Amino acid sequence: MIRVVVIGQGQVASNFVVGLERLKKGEIEPYGVPLADMDLGYNFNDIKIVGSYDVDAGKVGRSLYDVAKMYFNEEIIPEELKDIYVRKGISLGKLQDMPFDIVSLDENNGSLSDVIDLLYEEWCRLKPDVVVDLTTTQYGIVFRDFKKLEETVLKNNRELLTPSQVYCYSLIKYVENVRSAAYVNCIPVPIANDPAIVGKMMEAGGLVLGDDGATGATPLTADILRHMADRNRKVLSVAQFNIGGNLDFLALLNKERNRAKEFTKSSIVKDILGYDAPHYIRPTGYLEPLGDKKFVAMHLIYKSFNGAEDEIIVNMRINDSPALAGYVVDLVRLSKLALDNEIYGTVYEINAFYMKRPGPLGSKSISKILARRLLGEWVGKAARKPVKAYEII
Ligand SMILES: NC(=O)c1ccc[n+]([C@@H]2O[C@H](COP(=O)([O-])OP(=O)(O)OC[C@H]3O[C@@H](n4cnc5c(N)ncnc54)[C@H](O)[C@@H]3O)[C@@H](O)[C@H]2O)c1
């Protein structure tokens, strides 16, 4: 059994919980779950959602079934979701620009330590093996030193913190005192890219995976770049942009949040090509009628033999949220597989395939075709020693 807590009961999380229950009943095929056919020691039926958190006043206190009605026709929503209720999370005052009312554990501006104690107590009761972060994108800093992160939390310095860092800090306390667990960070806040967090998790006997799920155009761009590098074609420019109409795209209109995304996406160019070809890679806009099915355009110019200049143009319409939700089905099983084998800290082989900015800090983005091979090898010998974050940096 893998006990899962989801943070951020939005469109990705709702796709995850609805799709998972439908998978368990055999109502859908496991398309979009990359390792569906691989034996990870746990299958879909072993995953149990035990808790969910949000800060949207329209979601907190409602069942996952009711929240799913915001995204799906009622006929496909599994009855099992009627028994799980959305709990109040933490916001640190970072969501004022969002188009909904906020309720959160920290709304009265009390001390963060008290909020963390509350969360900790809830997690002692929920006993999660894996906590999955699917909250709204935030811009966060790398602390590097756990003492610095701890001091910032204890001094109640909300300005420097994101909710994800506080959730993860609270899970570290749980790992230290109760049992091993993993934090899977699907958003751009540096969690698996922060040696403070990875190092502490390794010491405590827990795991972090991240950062920022790689689903839409970024993995395809990474594979095309590898294709160019393997053929010694000189890439002269890369343009890639996304326009979508879901809440995630609306949130990215905020400059700081967009900066966080741009940072996680752009590292692929230099990492894969070995030189920094001029590029523009970022979510560019919000257009409500597109809904969750975003429009992606990609354009590459490159030089081939005898000075010839070629171009690649790709246009796509992609359902954004189900893509990441399918990955989460793997990520929770891989987390448990790692924990069972006492693999702590973080695992580059998992991050490199599923994430835009694979931790630990300082590790490279590689093409997803290569990453998939590494991941298969890692699963094959799952008891391998973990990558030690502080050795790589
Ligand atoms: N393919 C993808 O959709 C994809 C890929 C990579 C990363 N992501 C990231 O995944 C995240 C979720 O995407 P989504 O489309 O579900 O967005 P969404 O806006 O539908 O859902 C986010 C949810 O998180 C909640 N939330 C925000 N801050 C919170 C907090 N501090 N605590 C608890 N809940 C909080 C919001 O109220 C909302 O319900 C986004 O950050 C997005 O950038 C998505």
Side-chain angles (χ1 to χ4, degrees), residues 179-194:
R179 59 193 280 200
S180 196
Y183 194 91
V184 177
N185 177 40
C186 298
I187 79 162
V189 170
I191 297 287
N193 276 283
D194 192 337

Side-chain angles (χ1 to χ4, degrees), residues 59 90 136 149 171 174 183-185 187 206 212 226 235 244 262 270 273-274 279 295-296 310 317 368 372 378:
K59 292 178 179 171
I90 49 177
T136 304
L149 170 62
L171 192 72
Y174 169 84
Y183 194 91
V184 177
N185 177 40
I187 79 162
D212 198 12
R226 183 72 257 156
V235 177
E262 190 194 345
K270 189 163 185 207
L273 294 178
H279 60 271
F295 170 63
V296 180
D310 297 340
R317 281 292 303 279
K368 298 303 173 187
R372 175 63 182 78
W378 180 86

